Amino acid sequence: MKQSHSNTRPLFISLSTILFLSLAGCWSSHEIEEQSLGIGLAFDKAKQSAIEKKLNEQGEGYSKRNLITATYQFITPQVASSTTNQSGPQKKSYVNVSETGDSLHQMVREISLRSEQPVTAHHMKVVVISEELARSYKLGQLLDQNLRESELRPSCLIFISKGRASKTLETKKAGEIPAFRLAGIVENAYRTTRILPPMSHIKVESKITSGSSFLIQKVLSVDGQVKFAGAAVIAGKTHKMTGTLDEEELEGVTWITGKGKGGVVKSFDKETGQQIVYEIESMKSSIVPRVEADSISFDVNIESVGRLSENWVVSGDSFNNEFLKKAEKSSEKEVERLVGNALKKMQKEYKTDVAGFGNRLRIEQPKVWKKVKKDWDQTFSETPINFDVKLTINDYGASGGAKK
């Protein structure tokens, strides 16, 4: 027994030592108090800030072309501390720093010449690219350094801005952090069909690699406030922004893909012209490819269950089956209009498949897909698409009965 006891002590000590060392952390790491945490990044066409101009006038500088201005949003320990402890008017909870040049990696390293705190991208939430820049450069070029950077999380979200992207990283609301605000709005998708599923770095990289056309959420900025407004159309062949979908056209795409989590459909009663509002509780869509000889077509079957959330029709009885059928038909026609307009924009104006028709053909008809995938966007623009919409009202809200 003594022999057995003495043999276990070295093992116990060794395990304790390993545990102690693992809790002690990395000896070569930087303390969090010494870091500038990058949480947001905006890319714009080159426009030097006043501070940059003054620094360049006084400094020796380095060889570069002024092509792109990158704006980095940081949370620093000093900012967090001053925001928490101040007794007067609240200050900003973030710091924005801009750098102009032609190499994105070199630009971020230039910031190290202006701050004693190392920059880290582990907590980067959003990257916003201006529409002007997205039309001029391939997304792969603009995001190449980010995609190669092991620090930056692949879940970081990508947006396209109308106007200067840096404006989306500004706010006038005390205590609000713009990068977190943008990431948070994405979570409201359960309330509207006008928000795309999150488009992360890894998803963008996948789309670029596959040569697929796709959508990225557009964001507007006015006087420190932002709004999600439609989507940017990214062409699969060029990897550049080729156009936009407005808010209603984006709704149409959401119905086609069936990826909506919630929202409303506003239609008008044919007889009275009054509003009827249908609230989505669930939606689903199936895209079915049809191949006959060399002819390709698609059937899109859209179904949804929801509630009558608003009724302006004076004679409308919310519990009357005849009225409910009329409300369903009215809402169905509105969805058909949204879907039809979205398809027209995709097929006739932009000639790009951003709703996944090609992907369904690839899955269900792989041999056919191999023949057409090279010029799929062009083929898609000439492909007949039939769609059917079926909405069912199963709830009338807290109010019912005939209106007086």
Side-chain angles (χ1 to χ4, degrees):
M1 293 294 291
K2 289 183 180 180
Q3 182 66 31
S4 175
H5 178 71
S6 62
N7 286 341
T8 59
R9 289 190 62 190
L11 177 61
F12 175 78
I13 294 172
S14 298
L15 291 173
S16 299
T17 303
I18 292 171
L19 179 60
F20 174 78
L21 291 175
S22 66
L23 292 174
C26 299
W27 295 329
S28 61
S29 67
H30 295 284
E31 297 296 333
I32 191 169
E33 292 84 359
E34 300 173 355
Q35 303 288 304
S36 284
L37 303 180
I39 56 171
L41 176 57
F43 292 142
D44 287 297
K45 193 170 182 179
K47 184 180 179 181
Q48 287 187 314
S49 65
I51 292 177
E52 278 188 280
K53 290 179 181 178
K54 290 180 180 179
L55 288 172
N56 290 335
E57 288 172 1
Q58 298 182 42
E60 297 297 329
Y62 68 99
S63 177
K64 65 174 181 176
R65 297 166 298 166
N66 288 333
L67 300 178
I68 298 172
T69 294
T71 300
Y72 303 86
Q73 185 159 100
F74 299 115
I75 296 179
T76 65
Q78 289 86 347
V79 171
S81 177
S82 64
T83 302
T84 302
N85 299 328
Q86 66 194 339
S87 56
Q90 210 169 23
K91 298 180 182 178
K92 289 183 178 180
S93 303
Y94 62 93
V95 172
N96 286 352
V97 180
S98 295
E99 187 69 33
T100 302
D102 52 6
S103 165
L104 301 175
H105 200 179
Q106 191 174 46
M107 287 152 64
V108 72
R109 293 301 172 88
E110 280 293 300
I111 293 177
S112 299
L113 302 177
R114 297 164 58 180
S115 173
E116 75 279 12
Q117 293 161 329
V119 176
T120 177
H122 291 301
H123 301 278
M124 189 70 69
K125 296 294 183 183
V126 299
V127 173
V128 187
I129 302 170
S130 72
E131 180 178 324
E132 186 177 17
L133 213 58
R135 290 182 183 272
S136 303
Y137 294 92
K138 295 181 178 182
L139 281 189
Q141 293 173 315
L142 296 171
L143 298 175
D144 181 73
Q145 196 271 324
N146 285 355
L147 294 172
R148 294 174 186 274
E149 178 57 68
S150 59
E151 279 190 1
L152 197 140
R153 293 180 179 179
S155 59
C156 178
L157 301 178
I158 309 295
F159 299 96
I160 301 291
S161 72
K162 185 177 179 65
R164 300 289 292 181
S166 60
K167 294 295 184 181
T168 67
L169 296 183
E170 297 177 0
T171 182
K172 292 185 177 181
K173 186 177 179 180
E176 185 174 58
I177 300 176
F180 292 166
R181 174 180 61 184
L182 288 174
I185 294 175
V186 174
E187 301 300 321
N188 290 333
Y190 72 100
R191 302 187 68 85
T192 174
T193 49
R194 299 180 181 184
I195 295 179
L196 282 169
M199 183 56 73
S200 63
H201 259 79
I202 193 67
K203 287 184 180 180
V204 170
E205 182 180 22
S206 175
K207 294 291 186 181
I208 291 173
T209 302
S210 67
S212 303
S213 298
F214 60 101
L215 298 176
I216 296 181
Q217 188 80 53
K218 279 197 67 180
V219 57
L220 308 181
S221 176
V222 178
D223 200 24
Q225 298 188 43
V226 296
K227 179 189 176 183
F228 282 12
V233 178
I234 310 299
K237 280 194 172 182
T238 65
H239 302 160
K240 294 180 181 180
M241 178 177 167
T242 189
T244 62
L245 299 182
D246 64 25
E247 292 182 52
E248 286 194 346
E249 289 161 348
L250 177 54
E251 281 189 276
V253 173
T254 301
W255 280 104
I256 292 170
T257 61
K259 293 182 179 179
K261 297 180 180 179
V264 298
V265 177
K266 181 180 70 176
S267 63
F268 295 89
D269 179 64
K270 187 176 181 180
E271 296 177 4
T272 65
Q274 296 297 325
Q275 292 180 162
I276 296 174
V277 180
Y278 169 88
E279 183 178 15
I280 303 162
E281 292 183 352
S282 67
M283 73 160 63
K284 62 181 181 179
S285 172
S286 62
I287 298 176
V288 182
R290 306 291 185 189
V291 179
E292 295 181 9
D294 293 330
S295 177
I296 301 172
S297 64
F298 290 93
D299 291 338
V300 182
N301 301 304
I302 298 169
E303 296 182 16
S304 174
V305 175
R307 61 190 289 267
L308 182 65
S309 67
E310 195 173 353
N311 175 22
W312 287 59
V313 182
V314 176
S315 59
D317 182 348
S318 298
F319 292 151
N320 182 279
N321 285 334
E322 185 178 345
F323 171 76
L324 290 176
K325 291 297 180 184
K326 187 167 66 171
E328 288 173 348
K329 291 298 180 184
S330 177
S331 299
E332 286 171 357
K333 286 190 177 296
E334 174 60 11
V335 173
E336 288 170 0
R337 183 186 74 84
L338 294 171
V339 170
N341 288 346
L343 287 172
K344 184 178 179 180
K345 199 69 171 281
M346 286 189 288
Q347 289 189 291
K348 304 308 176 186
E349 186 169 345
Y350 297 138
K351 294 179 170 43
T352 53
D353 172 16
V354 293
F357 287 92
N359 190 49
R360 292 310 310 171
L361 183 64
R362 178 187 64 82
I363 293 171
E364 298 189 27
Q365 299 281 350
K367 291 182 179 180
V368 176
W369 173 247
K370 286 182 180 180
K371 296 178 182 179
V372 299
K373 67 177 182 179
K374 185 177 180 180
D375 295 309
W376 171 244
D377 277 341
Q378 180 60 41
T379 302
F380 166 75
S381 68
E382 302 167 354
T383 299
I385 299 176
N386 306 303
F387 55 90
D388 180 70
V389 179
K390 176 63 177 176
L391 305 186
T392 302
I393 296 174
N394 71 345
D395 187 9
Y396 330 104
S399 175
K403 292 182 177 288
K404 296 180 180 179

